[in-house]
Every structure is written in structure tokens, then in C-alpha cells.
Amino acid sequence: MAALFLAAQVLGGDYYAHINDIWWYAQSVNHAWDDNPAVFCTQEFYGDDNDKKWYNGSFGWGGLETAGFYYNCSRISPYSGECPFAVNEMDNSFDMEKDPTYAETLLALIRLYFSANPELYTYTPTVEDREYLDMADARREKIHSSTMDISNEVTGQIYYISNNGDDSNDGRSPETAWATPYRAMSESLSTEDAVLFERGGTWYIDNETNLGSASKNLEFGNGVDIGAYGEGEKPVLRGDIQEANDPGFWELYYDQDGKKIWKATKETLRPNVIVFDEGESWADNILTYWDGDKKYVNVDGADFMVEESLKRDLTFCHLYDLEKYHDQFPNTDNTWKGELYLRCDAGNPAEVFDTVSIPQCITCINLLPESRMTDLDLRYFTMMAARCTSNSAPDLHDNCGYNYNNLDIGWCGGFAQQYTGLITDIYQQTIAGGALGIYGSEVTVTGCHIHHCGPMAMILSMHDHTTESAETITYKDMYFSGNLFEYCGAPLHWVDLSMSENPESVSYIESMIFEDNMVMNSGEGLIYEIVLQSSVFGSGNSFWLSAIEDGMGAADNGGIFIRNNILYISKYSLITICHKVCGENERPVNREVEFSGNTYVQLQTRLLIQEPFATYQFYPNNDEVKEYINDLTGTYISLWPGELVEE
């Protein structure tokens, strides 16, 4: 299986097991194959974690044999429904005490070959699943065309913001509207007031404007609602810059054999993505390695070269001045500027495309307690569109009363925020963010369209930064319903980080309901490419590529309900669940997540459920799926991946 893992490196494309060159890595630490293939190389072989010689990658924690084992489990042939080397799903083992036969090895390679998707297959929706795509189209149109007038519900003062306004006005009527949201932040707003943006308007939000808050995001006060007024499309709040649409913003840096790389003529903050024609296409972010000092490098330690690293059309990279910043990592607030390089073989990007959007602002809105945000279009923010937090203590868990309704959120998250140790003297970027950050109780997200956001679109992250004493961190009454998620990483992701911050903490979810949502094509497109490059989890463990992701582990809860949703195709596993009771790998569970009435639609070649740390995996056509997830009222649909592409 380790040899199979290395074969994937040679094949490349969708076979590519991990962004790192594992074979080079094995040589760099003098890896030698064990005589007994059943014995996985361990931490003792590679050295301790401080030496960064212990392989810690997407497909296992330990040696190459371990990585090969996990990689084998991540592939399946659509013809036989088997992994390259057949693995029993209940104990994930086969006879490793003897070498495979010649015939078994050939069969494994054939299964590996046919496991690739989409290079070998073209998928066309069938009558069976076309109805779900039609339902998603209808929900998307409903959200885009619907409006919510909250003005009649506001008991305090309403302040208006319009592209035709003036910040010297009083902002108290549509006729005397302010021009910018920054003017509203300078006013002392009271609980039960509201700030309304005029429909049809557009505002560019940036990190460099003095917004009057430490986070430099829009923040209006506790109990202040944010919404829209007037006629037309939802008000648009953008985190990109307008200069990128000017051909003069770009200069030709490299031009050889049809390959053209363009350099921005001004330094920029680090973008998460570059989007063309408002989402018709995009350029992928090529993450960089760092030597820990003053040089960008490749994974093998060789100097990083822009013209060699942008191997595909519509890719980009962003380079800080390491002479200036090398001793200041991480840059989590995205305040450092650097050089931006974009490969666009067709010509000057501003001439090839009608619009070029380069996200610069890290987050648009900090929604404070007892507030709601409705009827807005938020796009192009490097970390996330909005987060519910407190202006006094950002991670104070008992703040409550955040409502997100009828929003359109796109192209947010994936910010490469810091470097982590990969191996000796080489560090790789990690990514974070998504659409919405959930850091409190009594949170509702209803009727929203969230697309092209990740690595975690909706992040429920439990923290304890407030005390060193023992405390129970309780999040309660979270409700997510009627939403449409498309091409997002982990539309619902919950994780407990409190114990790593305070070992005395105990986290508890009292009630969380995720129902009547449509989750379509999770982990596809932009998100897949950037997750594949990240060193934290990566695609092999399926984190950030699933529709539903439980990262709590301990699973202490008083009720987590996933019901009556449509979960339609994910890039890797449709559901990743970490706290099931799994035989000898039993974890402490007081109450399992309750799945009921959901529709599970997945390609036969991809996982439906994975319990990654116990390595339990179930494909759509596995009869044990219903019993494992305990959704006896659910609908399970296994889709053929498509027709084989003819040479």
C-alpha cells in the first residue's frame, strides 16, 4: 500500500496523494522499508515531533506505510466498489503478513487507475438527481429575489446609508442618508437602533480605513440591527479593490512559450483568491513554503521561483518581503503587503475579463450580541464575511442573540494566515476562515445562500480565553435552517478548542439544530485546490471537504440534530464524524449526533461517511451505512460517476 501511495505521486492529477513529495521526504530522513509490511513505521523511527522528522500528513500520522494504508482506504473503483487492496470496512485490515500476489498487485493498480475523478469520467446529472439540482435552483432564486423589511420592527432610531448620501448629513432619513458605513461607526448608536443600506448600492470595505475598532471591521454596537431599504438588488458589501480592473494595475513579468505571468504594479495584502467576472471563473492560490528565515523555498528546499511555481493558467502567488517580516510571523490580521503574481496566458487580466476581484479585507462585519443582519450581499473577504462576537471579549462564550437572515455570501475564506513546521527547516502555510464564524449562543442562520466559501463555511468554534480555572463552556440554542450551501468547504463544522486553550475547560453543546438545508457539491472547485495544499489536515482525512463535519471528539452534548436536509455530493466524504463509538476505538460519548430524515446523495467512488481517527469508512452502496449513522428514515442515493472519457 505504501508503494501504491508513491505510485499516486508519479501519476499526479487527481491521483496525487498529497501536495508534498513523499518520496523525496522518505529519502531525506533515510527511510528504509520494513521487512514485515504489517509493522508501520512509528514516531521512534522518525524522531520526535520537535525534530519535525515524523511524517504528519493527510494520509496518516507516522511512516510511509501508515500513509499508504490511509491512501488505499481513500480510493475506490466504481466497477467493483473495492479499494485497490480490499479492506474490511469494520476493522480496516487485510492480510498484511504476506506480500500480495502478482495478480493482486495488478488488480490494485487497475482499481487505482479507475478511481480517479473527474479526469477519467464526465458526470452528467441523471433523472434521479436532476430534481435536487432543480430544487437548489429554485431556492437560490427565492433567496436572491426575496427582501426583508425590518424597518417596521425597529423600536429605536434608523440610520440610512446610500451611495447618493453624504457623511455630513444626520443619516436619520433616506433623504439625509450617510454615504459610508464608517460614518455610522463614529456615531454612538443605541440598543434597538438599526443601520440600513440602500438596495442596489455597493460599498467597498477595506482594512486600511480607520474604522474605530481594533479588528478594523464594521461594528455598530450591541443590539443594533443591520439591513436594507428601498428597491432593487441586495446591497453589496465587498472586500476587494477596484484598481485591479484597470489594465495599468498589471505589468507583464514573464512571457515565454505562451506562458504569461503578470505582476501587480502596487503591493497588496494577501488575497485568498482572485475572482473573474463576478464568479464565472477564478485563479487558485499557490501556497508558498518558507525556510524559517528570509527565503521562500520549495518542499525540497530549493529556491522558490515564481515562473516555475505557477504551473497552470489562472494561478497566483503572493510574496511578502521576508527581509522585513521574517521574524514577525504569523500575520493573522492581514496587515502586511507584498508582491502579487498572476498567471493569465490570454493577456492582461483587466483586458481579458470584465471584472477582476482581489479580496483584501479580512472580515466585513462583527455582529454583536442581540443583533441581526438581514438582506445583504457580502463577497470577497479573505477570512470570513461576518462573525458573531463581543466588543469586550471576542471569545466570551455566554454572549447570545445573533441572527443572520436572507443573506448572500460568496468567495470568502481560505486566508493563508501563518506558517507551521512541515519538516526540518521547511514551513508550510495553513488556511482558515469561511462565511460565518459562530462564537456564542442563541445563533440563527436562516434563508441564506452561501457559496464558494471555506475551508469551513459555517464555523462553530468553542473557545475558552477568559479564565484559567475549571469552567464549563456551554453553547446553546443554535438553529440553522432553510439555507443553500454550494461549493463550500464544510458547510457545518463544529470543533472544541477550549481544552487546548485551558486544560481545565469542559465544553458542552446544549442544543444545535441543522434542518431543511440544501448542501450541494461540498469541497468542490476552489476549496478543494486550496485544502489540498494545506498542511493542517488535508484531503486525506476529509476535513474541510465534507458537508457535515464533527471535530469535537469528546462529543459532550445535550442534543445535536441533523435532520431533513439534502446532502448532495461532496469531494471526499459526505459526512465526517469523530465521536462515534467504534469498537476498540471507543471515544467518550454521552449522546451521539442524531441524524434523521436526511437525503444522502453521493457518487459511488466517494465516501458517504468517515470516522477518520478510527479509520471507519462507508461508501454509498454499503448496507451498513444506515445502521452506522442510525438514520433509518433517511434516503440514500448512490450515483454512478459518469461515462469513461474516450481517448
Side-chain angles (χ1 to χ4, degrees):
M1 287 191 289
L4 191 79
F5 185 50
L6 296 176
Q9 305 288 316
V10 177
L11 287 170
D14 194 57
Y15 301 101
Y16 205 29
H18 192 267
I19 199 65
N20 304 324
D21 188 332
I22 302 299
W23 180 244
W24 167 83
Y25 173 67
Q27 292 176 317
S28 73
V29 294
N30 298 317
H31 176 92
W33 299 107
D34 290 341
D35 293 333
N36 184 350
V39 179
F40 290 169
C41 287
T42 63
Q43 184 172 359
E44 285 70 26
F45 176 85
Y46 281 98
D48 61 35
D49 198 42
N50 292 330
D51 292 335
K52 303 189 185 305
K53 292 183 179 180
W54 185 35
Y55 170 67
N56 179 355
S58 292
F59 293 95
W61 299 64
L64 292 184
E65 291 90 339
T66 307
F69 177 82
Y70 282 98
Y71 179 71
N72 177 74
C73 295
S74 73
R75 288 294 179 180
I76 185 172
S77 167
Y79 292 98
S80 64
E82 297 285 355
C83 300
F85 287 104
V87 175
N88 184 295
E89 283 112 349
M90 292 310 296
D91 62 10
N92 280 315
S93 65
F94 70 102
D95 188 359
M96 293 182 288
E97 299 299 325
K98 60 183 180 180
D99 293 335
T101 65
Y102 183 72
E104 287 172 335
T105 303
L106 285 179
L107 181 59
L109 290 173
I110 291 171
R111 288 173 174 172
L112 172 67
Y113 178 78
F114 284 110
S115 71
N117 188 300
E119 277 79 2
L120 293 177
Y121 297 93
T122 56
Y123 179 70
T124 302
T126 64
V127 174
E128 188 175 30
D129 62 323
R130 181 69 251 181
E131 65 173 301
Y132 301 112
L133 300 178
D134 291 341
M135 291 169 63
D137 291 342
R139 180 167 291 191
R140 186 188 314 110
E141 177 58 30
K142 179 181 179 181
I143 294 172
H144 286 188
S145 61
S146 63
T147 60
M148 296 184 66
D149 185 1
I150 65 172
S151 59
N152 294 330
E153 304 171 24
V154 177
T155 58
Q157 177 64 51
I158 298 177
Y159 295 93
Y160 299 87
I161 301 175
S162 169
N163 287 156
N164 297 317
D166 191 316
D167 281 351
S168 64
N169 291 335
D170 63 12
R172 293 173 175 256
S173 71
E175 294 74 24
T176 60
W178 290 324
T180 70
Y182 314 130
R183 176 64 180 84
M185 291 184 64
S186 67
E187 192 81 6
S188 296
L189 305 187
S190 302
T191 298
E192 300 182 352
D193 287 349
V195 175
L196 304 184
F197 292 83
E198 186 176 21
R199 291 188 176 90
T202 298
W203 289 265
Y204 287 82
I205 313 301
D206 66 85
N207 284 112
E208 297 180 328
T209 301
N210 182 11
L211 303 181
S213 69
S215 61
K216 294 188 177 181
N217 310 129
L218 298 181
E219 194 173 277
F220 299 114
N222 289 18
V224 176
D225 293 336
I226 309 169
Y229 76 97
E231 303 294 331
E233 301 288 332
K234 287 179 171 59
V236 179
L237 277 62
R238 308 172 62 113
D240 58 329
I241 53 175
Q242 295 175 281
E243 297 99 311
N245 296 299
D246 181 355
F249 181 83
W250 304 97
E251 64 180 10
L252 189 59
Y253 169 80
Y254 180 87
D255 186 0
Q256 187 173 327
D257 299 326
K259 180 178 180 179
K260 292 183 173 64
I261 298 176
W262 304 82
K263 180 181 178 182
T265 56
K266 62 175 287 187
E267 290 189 329
T268 69
L269 300 171
R270 174 160 285 170
N272 54 330
V273 67
I274 298 178
V275 182
F276 307 111
D277 296 339
E278 302 301 333
E280 291 297 321
S281 60
W282 68 88
D284 287 316
N285 187 1
I286 303 303
L287 303 183
T288 54
Y289 297 93
W290 174 47
D291 71 347
D293 188 19
K294 300 180 181 180
K295 187 168 62 175
Y296 289 108
V297 295
N298 298 318
V299 69
D300 61 0
D303 289 352
F304 177 88
M305 304 293 291
V306 171
E307 54 271 28
E308 295 177 1
S309 298
L310 301 185
K311 301 179 185 300
R312 295 182 287 109
D313 191 21
L314 299 185
T315 54
F316 75 93
C317 63
H318 183 273
L319 306 178
Y320 296 128
D321 181 355
L322 292 181
E323 289 285 341
K324 181 178 181 180
Y325 295 122
H326 73 279
D327 60 347
Q328 301 178 43
F329 284 114
N331 178 31
T332 55
D333 58 356
N334 199 25
T335 57
W336 302 345
K337 291 190 175 182
E339 297 176 337
L340 179 64
Y341 299 87
L342 168 63
R343 179 173 173 180
C344 181
D345 296 343
N348 188 308
E351 295 175 338
V352 173
F353 301 101
D354 291 335
T355 62
V356 180
S357 300
I358 303 177
Q360 295 286 273
C361 186
I362 189 167
T363 299
C364 182
I365 293 176
N366 284 342
L367 193 67
L368 299 183
E370 301 299 335
S371 302
R372 58 181 166 172
M373 185 167 65
T374 65
D375 217 19
L376 300 177
D377 184 332
L378 311 176
R379 59 182 82 166
Y380 312 131
F381 293 92
T382 59
M383 180 63 80
M384 61 185 67
R387 65 196 299 262
C388 55
T389 184
S390 167
N391 53 4
S392 58
D395 295 312
L396 192 60
H397 53 85
D398 57 358
N399 288 324
C400 58
Y402 309 90
N403 295 279
Y404 302 95
N405 312 106
N406 199 37
L407 303 173
D408 194 303
I409 302 176
W411 304 100
C412 297
F415 174 48
Q417 62 177 351
Q418 64 186 36
Y419 284 86
T420 58
L422 179 65
I423 57 178
T424 304
D425 299 327
I426 295 179
Y427 299 81
Q428 189 178 28
Q429 288 179 295
T430 59
I431 59 175
L436 298 174
I438 310 298
Y439 308 106
S441 295
E442 297 181 21
V443 179
T444 66
V445 181
T446 57
C448 296
H449 178 214
I450 299 175
H451 60 96
H452 299 94
C453 293
M456 302 154 283
M458 200 161 60
I459 313 163
L460 194 160
S461 186
M462 306 185 74
H463 291 274
D464 182 11
H465 291 168
T466 61
T467 179
E468 296 181 357
S469 61
E471 185 174 354
T472 299
I473 309 300
T474 301
Y475 281 20
K476 62 181 181 180
D477 298 333
M478 292 163 286
Y479 183 69
F480 315 116
S481 179
N483 304 291
L484 170 62
F485 299 89
E486 297 184 286
Y487 300 98
C488 289
L492 177 61
H493 172 99
W494 66 95
V495 63
D496 176 13
L497 300 176
S498 61
M499 289 187 66
S500 63
E501 298 155 351
N502 175 10
E504 302 298 323
S505 288
V506 177
S507 295
Y508 190 82
I509 292 180
E510 185 170 306
S511 175
M512 181 172 71
I513 299 174
F514 187 83
E515 69 177 357
D516 187 32
N517 299 286
M518 300 193 69
V519 184
M520 316 292 289
N521 298 294
S522 302
E524 295 279 6
L526 159 72
I527 303 306
Y528 178 68
E529 294 297 330
I530 197 169
V531 166
L532 200 63
Q533 298 179 68
S534 174
S535 64
V536 177
F537 293 111
S539 61
N541 285 334
S542 81
F543 279 104
W544 303 341
L545 299 177
S546 301
I548 304 293
E549 289 185 357
D550 160 33
M552 282 191 67
D556 199 14
N557 74 89
I560 300 175
F561 306 94
I562 313 295
R563 62 196 187 198
N564 302 324
N565 304 284
I566 294 175
L567 310 177
Y568 177 90
I569 300 182
S570 67
K571 184 64 178 178
Y572 192 69
S573 176
L574 198 64
I575 297 171
T576 296
I577 186 165
C578 296
H579 64 228
K580 292 287 292 183
V581 177
C582 303
E584 295 181 358
N585 296 292
E586 181 174 331
R587 298 175 183 276
V589 177
N590 71 309
R591 181 172 180 172
E592 293 185 5
V593 176
E594 297 186 23
F595 293 86
S596 63
N598 300 296
T599 298
Y600 308 90
V601 184
Q602 179 65 306
L603 300 180
Q604 290 182 17
T605 53
R606 301 180 186 176
L607 291 170
L608 195 149
I609 300 171
Q610 182 188 39
E611 205 289 332
F613 300 115
T615 67
Y616 277 70
Q617 303 182 6
F618 298 91
Y619 288 91
N621 56 359
N622 191 311
D623 293 336
E624 297 168 337
V625 165
K626 292 183 180 180
E627 179 181 352
Y628 182 83
I629 202 171
N630 199 30
D631 187 353
L632 302 181
T633 60
T635 300
Y636 301 82
I637 298 176
S638 177
L639 299 177
W640 182 252
E643 298 297 327
L644 193 63
V645 177
E646 295 183 3
E647 296 293 339

